[in-house]
Amino acid sequence: MRYDVRRVRAEEWATLRALRLAALRDPVAHLAFLDTVAAAEARPAEFWQERARSSAVGTAVAQFVALAPEGESAGGPAGEPTGELAGTVTVLVTPAGERDYVGETRPSPSAAIVGVYVPPAHRGGAAIGALLDAAQQWVRNLGLGRVRLHVHEQNARAQAAYRRRGYVPTGAQAHLGGAVHLELERDLTDEPAPPR
């Protein structure tokens, strides 16, 4: 199954909020996200609007969404996508010398994948690969040769999915939300990501 993947649009903030809440309600959300449903629901519309706006443009953060094949990527009224959203991934870029999302400082710019979510109906297929491919290409286009992510040490399903996509453990760990998260990294200087 082929998915259309594109960068989010600022006007899709309500749809992106709904997708985030769905992710936080997932049975394994405690292994994948540091956020909670209650905290997300309490945030005002302005928070979600700014989050969508900042993820839609610029080079500091980019969020991508996958649309199911039967969906239209052109968008419906008010810019809302007309196809079923089949997942999302966000990339954070940290400039050299600044603290990243896990509190580390690196001597050169770095990219990290966060906020990965694929709804149950689209798991085990090409959605995750399509999302990671888009994120990785965006990072390549910025001139960066590596991208990393952190995954809960008990989230074996996610670890396996990332390893199938060429991510390898670095041996580093981050303590996030009171739990150990393993760092995985992918070299982007090789050929493009494996076929979906």
Side-chain angles (χ1 to χ4, degrees):
M1 185 180 294
R2 186 178 179 281
Y3 291 86
D4 292 322
V5 179
R6 62 164 172 77
R7 197 162 179 182
V8 299
R9 299 172 183 144
E11 61 271 16
E12 295 174 331
W13 67 270
T15 300
L16 297 174
R17 177 185 184 273
L19 186 63
R20 178 65 172 182
L21 290 173
L24 295 174
R25 289 184 178 108
D26 191 276
V28 295
H30 65 287
L31 297 179
F33 304 106
L34 302 178
D35 204 359
T36 65
V37 173
E41 286 179 331
R43 294 185 184 109
E46 294 79 15
F47 170 88
W48 299 101
Q49 290 164 354
E50 174 55 26
R51 185 170 179 161
R53 187 202 61 74
S54 65
S55 298
V57 297
T59 58
V61 58
Q63 184 177 2
F64 297 89
V65 288
L67 290 150
E70 60 273 10
E72 297 294 329
S73 59
E80 296 296 314
T82 57
E84 179 186 2
L85 287 179
T88 184
V89 64
T90 299
V91 183
L92 304 177
V93 176
T94 305
E98 291 187 14
R99 288 189 180 273
D100 64 15
Y101 80 107
V102 295
E104 297 176 354
T105 303
R106 294 179 180 240
S108 56
S110 62
I113 288 177
V114 299
V116 179
Y117 176 65
V118 175
H122 298 282
R123 291 180 188 159
I128 185 66
L131 286 162
L132 291 174
D133 286 351
Q136 291 162 183
Q137 188 57 54
W138 186 77
V139 172
R140 280 190 194 96
N141 291 345
L142 294 178
L144 301 179
R146 305 188 87 69
V147 64
R148 67 186 175 131
L149 54 82
H150 290 86
V151 60
H152 195 291
E153 65 179 348
Q154 296 177 8
N155 196 342
R157 179 176 53 87
Q159 290 178 42
Y162 297 133
R163 287 181 178 169
R164 282 193 299 274
R165 301 298 307 164
Y167 287 79
V168 295
T170 66
Q173 298 178 349
H175 294 270
L176 303 168
V180 174
H181 288 69
L182 310 177
E183 182 180 86
L184 281 72
E185 187 175 63
R186 190 180 193 294
D187 181 358
L188 301 179
T189 61
D190 59 359
E191 291 299 313
R196 294 183 267 256

